Amino acid sequence: MTEKSATPPNRPEPDLDPAGDTDEPAFEWMKPSGAAASKPAPGKDNVAEPGERQGRRAERLAAERRTDERRTDERTGGATAVGRPAGADAYREALPTSALHVRPPQEEVERRNAEREQAANAKPVAPRVMQVLLAICFPVILLVLAVRAVTSPLFLWAEYNRPGFPGDGYGFNIDDRMTYGSYAVDYLGNWSGPRYLGELVNRSGEKLFKAGEVSHMADVKTVMLSSFAAGTLLGIVSLVAILYLRRRSTGGVRRGLFAGSIATLVIIIGLGVLAVLGWEQFFTEFHQIFFANGTWTFSLQDTLIRLFPAQFWSDAGIAIGALVLLASLLTLILTWPTRRRRGLPPRTGKAKDSVAGDASAAGGLTDADSSTEAALKGRRFKRRGTPATEAPAETMAVPNAASEPSTDAAPEAASKGASAPAGPAQS
């Protein structure tokens, strides 16, 4: 047979791996100790199939894993991973240290739990700040709006035409008062200078207002424009607070307006009492706050006194107080913390009567019923959307009819609970 001879068709391929495992090292000195003695001699009968080689490889890897697990258990004191039994044929990384399994002192655990509980129960500060701002701005905004409503030609017309308003003894009729008074009121709200009033003349061609009157009206205009600007700024702040509370705090707008209406009522009632006890002193003290002494007193013949007598200012004070009082009462009613607005279940008289009747028939209320009813009565209103801890009256537990009453006063308590009026709980 030469090199050019044809290869026989049934010639077997030479076995290039007589050891039976392609992953085994090529030299004996590279093999672990004991491997050479336990390994069978090479031969054609000892050649393993690919499936057998994979099986032996898996067994060897499993043995190595078990060895690693035993070493890990010995090092960590038998601790194993959560959910894995000791000696399981699963890969588990050895822990770098066993200090992770040491429980901290009890004081440290209690301190951490207290901090975690405090952080969970802590309420955000921003919604509370916005509610306080809304409550503070509300009275000022109402007062500025009421003053703006009084300083209008409509109020002048109502005053000059109402019965009992004192007339002018120096020649002004209602038409003259309405014309000249409208100029003075318009000057307080426009951007004109003192010439707006200083160049006005009467029918005889004389100047209508003196220099002192024009100077005082300029001071009044400064105070009025400043108050209107402050009211506008506070209105913008209130609008921002309302938008923020609508997005971040359910019921925050209602609580802020409710607190603001209460503050407004307290302020307006207090000022009203002071005005009633001494109107002249109250009027004098009010002018001394904003104007210098001697700049706001005039004679009875001056135009300002003839247009705006003392009766006009008392009526203006009553009108401002009435408008503010009416607006604050309306806001108080619309924001009153009812059970529906507080997110509590409705409590009707029919449900209470049925529960009380069942309790009386069964022999009395249990301690759980009494505590639940007391919690419903004493609960403070909270944000709508927070989970209510109280159960409605229909779900109150009633003792079994076969059980005996615990005390003799239980039927009396049940009758009192049935006769109690249904209404919003006091906040």
Side-chain angles (χ1 to χ4, degrees), residues 368-380:
D369 300 334
S370 302
S371 60
T372 303
E373 187 172 359
L376 285 174
K377 289 183 179 179
R379 172 173 176 168
R380 297 176 62 86

Side-chain angles (χ1 to χ4, degrees), residues 26-196:
F27 303 97
E28 294 293 336
W29 58 270
M30 299 179 61
K31 299 178 183 179
S33 61
S38 61
K39 188 174 182 180
K44 185 175 181 180
D45 295 337
N46 295 329
V47 175
E49 297 296 332
E52 297 179 1
R53 291 198 299 270
Q54 294 178 1
R56 289 199 299 270
R57 179 181 176 85
E59 292 176 359
R60 187 175 68 256
L61 294 177
E64 293 177 356
R65 291 170 185 170
R66 286 193 293 270
T67 303
D68 294 340
E69 290 174 0
R70 284 196 298 270
R71 293 175 180 174
T72 304
D73 294 340
E74 293 174 358
R75 185 167 55 253
T76 59
T80 57
V82 178
R84 295 181 181 179
D89 294 338
Y91 177 75
R92 179 167 62 254
E93 183 179 0
L95 296 176
T97 177
S98 61
L100 298 177
H101 300 279
V102 178
R103 181 176 177 84
Q106 184 64 24
E107 295 79 5
E108 183 68 16
V109 174
E110 294 178 356
R111 184 184 65 81
R112 293 179 181 179
N113 292 336
E115 291 179 355
R116 189 181 298 108
E117 187 71 18
Q118 182 179 3
N121 297 331
K123 296 182 179 180
V125 179
R128 292 180 174 271
V129 173
M130 290 298 178
Q131 292 180 23
V132 173
L133 285 178
L134 185 59
I136 294 175
C137 296
F138 185 73
V140 181
I141 293 174
L142 284 185
L143 184 60
V144 171
L145 292 177
V147 171
R148 186 64 185 91
V150 169
T151 56
S152 63
L154 180 61
F155 183 76
L156 285 180
W157 182 88
E159 277 293 293
Y160 292 150
N161 289 275
R162 78 171 181 85
F165 189 79
D168 179 36
Y170 297 94
F172 282 167
N173 54 23
I174 295 179
D175 189 21
D176 295 336
R177 278 182 163 180
M178 191 66 197
T179 302
Y180 302 146
S182 298
Y183 275 103
V185 171
D186 292 340
Y187 173 71
L188 297 178
N190 57 29
W191 298 96
S192 301
R195 293 176 55 187
Y196 187 86

Side-chain angles (χ1 to χ4, degrees), residues 254 338-346 379 381-388:
R254 176 182 58 79
T338 60
R339 295 183 64 86
R340 181 180 62 83
R341 292 170 182 166
R342 291 155 53 191
L344 297 178
R379 172 173 176 168
F381 65 92
K382 298 170 65 178
R383 300 178 184 173
R384 186 174 60 184
T386 56

Side-chain angles (χ1 to χ4, degrees), residues 3 26 36 44 75 96 114 128 167 184 212 215-216 242 252-253 273-274 305 372 377 413 427:
E3 294 180 358
K44 185 175 181 180
R75 185 167 55 253
R128 292 180 174 271
S215 177
H216 176 65
I242 290 173
V253 178
V273 170
L274 293 177
I305 301 300
T372 303
K377 289 183 179 179
S427 59

Side-chain angles (χ1 to χ4, degrees), residues 254-278:
R254 176 182 58 79
R255 288 190 291 271
L257 293 178
F258 181 76
S261 61
I262 294 178
T264 306
L265 288 175
V266 172
I267 293 173
I268 200 64
I269 291 175
L271 294 178
V273 170
L274 293 177
V276 170
L277 294 179

